[in-house]
Amino acid sequence: MKLYSAPGTCGTAMHIVLEWIGKPFEVEHLDFAGMKSPDYLKLNPAGVVPTIVDEDGPLSEGLAILLKLVDENPEANIGPAAGTAGRNQLYRWLAFLSATLHPFFFPYFMPSRYHADAEQAPGVKVASQIRVASALDVIEANLEGKRWMLGDQKSVVDAFLYPMANWAYGFDKPTSAYPNIDRVIRQLAADPAVQSVHEAQGTSPKVELAA
Ligand SMILES: N[C@@H](CCC(=O)N[C@@H](CS)C(=O)NCC(=O)O)C(=O)O
């Protein structure tokens, strides 16, 4: 399997999950121009990461990739199987992260896509942060009394949360103001698989790890 990703992006989640699964895989990190190149657009016409390619061909959309990885790797214990009790929550939280939290960040990172007047960019970024906070509130409440997003067992949902929660550490209401989310991010940052991903990306955790 090959993963196309970019350092610090949502593709970090799929990279973490491939590390957890432990089967051989290859990663190619793209820059912005690489995501818009004719060859990559054949794999992912939206010109974004992530994309995976395996014997079934290319697959884009983070939610779809994570569900496929859960279903094809039951022994990895990275999410409830179809037909089991926890599966509804897997669907729910993958959808929430993909369709609610993730798009709330887009105006922050690309304000020019949301307002033609560059002078309005600061206001666009403030609005984005307010929407992100509303989604982080929902996630924070879900984590009350739980070690991971789906309960006792870490899953692809936690991996998906990792890059997104990291993006908000510098926000007006930072991720560190959400004790449960911050705790999950610290748990992940201490995970050897996550540390391997940071090393491969040339990035560092946003949280300081206890010595
Ligand atoms: N709906 C897509 C969105 C992917 C996406 O927006 N990825 C970002 C990185 S986190 C990207 O590649 N952005 C480049 C761009 O928007 O041009 C998914 O969930 O996979």
Side-chain angles (χ1 to χ4, degrees):
M1 179 170 291
K2 178 166 180 175
L3 168 68
Y4 293 87
S5 181
T9 66
C10 54
T12 301
M14 295 74 213
H15 196 164
I16 291 169
V17 172
L18 287 170
E19 286 285 347
W20 284 344
I21 291 167
K23 294 179 183 165
F25 67 94
E26 185 190 341
V27 182
E28 182 172 339
H29 286 133
L30 301 175
D31 59 13
F32 195 79
M35 291 180 209
K36 315 303 174 199
S37 70
D39 280 350
Y40 185 66
L41 290 174
K42 282 185 206 144
L43 302 175
N44 184 333
V48 296
V49 291
T51 303
I52 57 164
V53 182
D54 67 0
E55 60 281 0
D56 294 333
L59 179 65
S60 55
E61 294 300 321
L63 180 159
I65 294 169
L66 292 174
L67 272 180
K68 173 185 166 83
L69 293 176
V70 168
D71 289 347
E72 294 186 358
N73 299 282
E75 69 292 344
N77 213 8
I78 50 173
T84 66
R87 183 73 170 197
N88 275 1
Q89 296 307 309
L90 175 69
Y91 290 133
R92 174 196 176 190
W93 287 111
L94 286 181
F96 188 81
L97 295 180
S98 171
T100 299
L101 177 59
H102 193 196
F104 285 165
F105 281 99
F106 295 165
Y108 181 83
F109 288 120
M110 304 272 188
S112 63
R113 289 182 180 172
Y114 294 84
H115 207 299
D117 179 357
E119 286 188 9
Q120 302 302 322
V124 170
K125 292 174 88 155
V126 167
S128 171
Q129 291 195 41
I130 291 168
R131 300 310 296 140
V132 167
S134 73
L136 292 180
D137 284 343
V138 174
I139 293 167
E140 177 71 8
N142 173 66
L143 280 167
E144 199 60 47
K146 288 200 190 96
R147 181 161 166 74
W148 301 102
M149 280 297 285
L150 299 186
D152 295 337
Q153 178 62 44
K154 85 182 171 201
S155 73
V156 295
V157 177
D158 303 292
F160 210 13
L161 178 61
Y162 186 73
M164 298 188 211
N166 277 335
W167 299 334
Y169 269 99
F171 277 19
D172 294 339
K173 184 171 181 189
T175 301
S176 52
Y178 299 87
N180 294 324
I181 300 174
D182 187 54
R183 168 178 54 78
V184 168
I185 298 312
R186 287 171 185 280
Q187 288 164 191
L188 288 166
D191 181 325
V194 176
Q195 292 173 355
S196 294
V197 172
H198 277 300
E199 198 176 319
Q201 292 187 341
T203 57
S204 305
K206 299 287 182 199
V207 290
E208 299 259 339
L209 294 176

